Amino acid sequence: MTLQELLDRSQDRLEAAGLVYGHGTTNAHDEAAWLVLWSLGMPLDSDLDAIGSQVLQTVQVSEAEALIGRRIETRQPAAYLTREAWLQGVPFYVDERAIVPRSFIAELIADGGFDAWLGEDTLQVLDLCTGNGSLAVLAAMAWPDVQVTGADLSPDALAVARINVDRHRLQDRITLIESDGLAACPGPWDLVLCNPPYVNADSMSTLPPEFRAEPGLALAGGADGMDFVRALLRDLPSRLSPHGVLVLEIGHERTHFEAAFPQLEVVWLTTSAGDDQVLLLTAEALRAHTATPSVSP
């Protein structure tokens, strides 16, 4: 069997199984390529047109097909099966203790999407809800002069983050701490990155198996998805430096966010998913919001 024949057959199997994607790939073709190439020990960015005619050994075919079978039978994200995920071309270890990294904030770090709000005095960075530590690592790579703190409520997630910090030899620039929200993060912070639990209760109840395989603690955001965000916006102003900014991912919850914070002055940042999933808040906007007296209905 050639590599291309194996890829075609694997894609057909995945499509027939009715799987759900979104953990690094968006379709059966790309998922099949990821799993097959990983099984064969080939680079994931291999030119499939150039190597598709390669004839495979029987054992290679069997191992790849077994991995495809595990993806179908377990409905686990492919990253949990390979123990590896890629974000902006950087490899990260991941397992079931942390969600699969896929934050659009990574794009903005790589593309300089919010560099206009940063400066020479941006030195202390907090990656809140760090998960497997991927955003903390990318931030340290992007800005060589900053010190990064990765914080998470989950000791299990922090253990995964430690693997990635050590893997990329950033122990001197990234500190990992256990913290319930900002409780152990007094600051002051010049930049806060946060991809929090924001999935609303109705959406949580209908998540497909691939997403239910991830830690619910990292996904569930309460009735409207804004529970963590409410506490964050309440507590953060006193922990930001005067020039500090928050970059916050809220996924598909813009409607709920705007309903919860109708008076907040927000800058929406454009990513490959559009301009409604990641926002930026300045220290000034946050302090003005917290200083505004609430109005009872």
Side-chain angles (χ1 to χ4, degrees):
M1 181 181 295
T2 67
L3 173 58
Q4 187 59 58
E5 289 171 337
L6 176 59
L7 289 169
D8 291 342
R9 189 153 83 178
S10 298
Q11 178 179 340
D12 290 343
R13 291 178 66 193
L14 293 175
E15 288 177 341
L19 304 183
V20 173
Y21 307 100
H23 293 91
T25 68
T26 59
N27 57 73
H29 174 275
D30 292 347
E31 189 99 341
W34 178 3
L35 291 171
V36 169
L37 291 173
W38 183 87
S39 176
L40 296 174
M42 295 180 176
L44 299 186
D45 59 354
S46 297
D47 183 346
L48 299 181
D49 291 333
I51 63 175
S53 60
Q54 179 178 333
V55 177
L56 303 176
Q57 298 177 2
T58 301
V59 66
Q60 291 177 304
V61 174
S62 297
E63 290 176 353
E65 293 198 319
L67 183 59
I68 295 292
R70 286 178 60 204
R71 173 69 177 91
I72 293 170
E73 292 162 11
T74 67
R75 294 293 296 268
Q76 285 193 316
Y80 285 164
L81 302 179
T82 65
R83 295 297 195 236
E84 187 171 69
W86 291 73
L87 206 56
Q88 293 301 307
V90 179
F92 294 98
Y93 174 84
V94 69
D95 62 33
E96 293 85 351
R97 294 174 291 177
I99 64 171
V100 178
R102 52 188 179 273
S103 174
F104 291 110
I105 295 175
E107 290 182 14
L108 296 164
I109 293 173
D111 298 341
F114 50 86
D115 281 2
W117 285 269
L118 310 181
E120 294 181 356
D121 48 4
T122 303
L123 298 173
Q124 295 296 326
V125 176
L126 172 64
D127 176 24
L128 188 60
C129 306
T130 194
N132 84 328
S134 53
L135 291 183
V137 167
L138 292 175
M141 290 179 169
W143 303 302
D145 295 328
V146 307
Q147 289 292 318
V148 183
T149 297
D152 205 288
L153 176 62
S154 167
D156 285 342
L158 289 169
V160 178
R162 169 53 58 196
I163 293 171
N164 285 311
V165 170
D166 293 349
R167 175 179 186 174
H168 293 288
R169 300 182 180 180
L170 289 166
Q171 301 94 324
D172 294 339
R173 305 214 14 246
I174 299 177
T175 301
L176 299 174
I177 61 171
E178 183 178 340
S179 182
D180 185 354
L182 289 168
C185 307
W189 306 106
D190 304 312
L191 170 63
V192 176
L193 309 172
C194 187
N195 182 20
Y198 55 66
V199 181
N200 69 70
D202 287 343
S203 295
M204 283 294 298
S205 69
T206 60
L207 285 179
E210 284 85 352
F211 289 88
R212 292 202 301 271
E214 297 181 293
L217 181 69
L219 299 173
D224 65 351
M226 293 295 112
D227 284 2
F228 186 96
V229 177
R230 284 188 182 88
L232 172 62
L233 299 193
R234 179 195 67 216
D235 298 339
L236 185 57
S238 63
R239 292 167 167 84
L240 273 182
S241 62
H243 55 270
V245 295
L246 165 67
V247 176
L248 176 68
E249 184 160 339
I250 59 164
H252 298 289
E253 302 290 345
R254 179 169 179 171
T255 299
H256 285 136
F257 178 88
E258 291 181 333
F261 311 104
Q263 305 302 320
L264 196 56
E265 186 176 338
V266 172
V267 178
W268 292 97
L269 301 174
T270 300
T271 71
S272 61
D275 58 1
D276 59 355
Q277 300 212 13
V278 180
L279 59 95
L280 181 144
L281 287 163
T282 65
E284 181 181 6
L286 277 168
R287 289 171 182 141
H289 173 71
T290 55
T292 302
S294 58
V295 178
S296 300

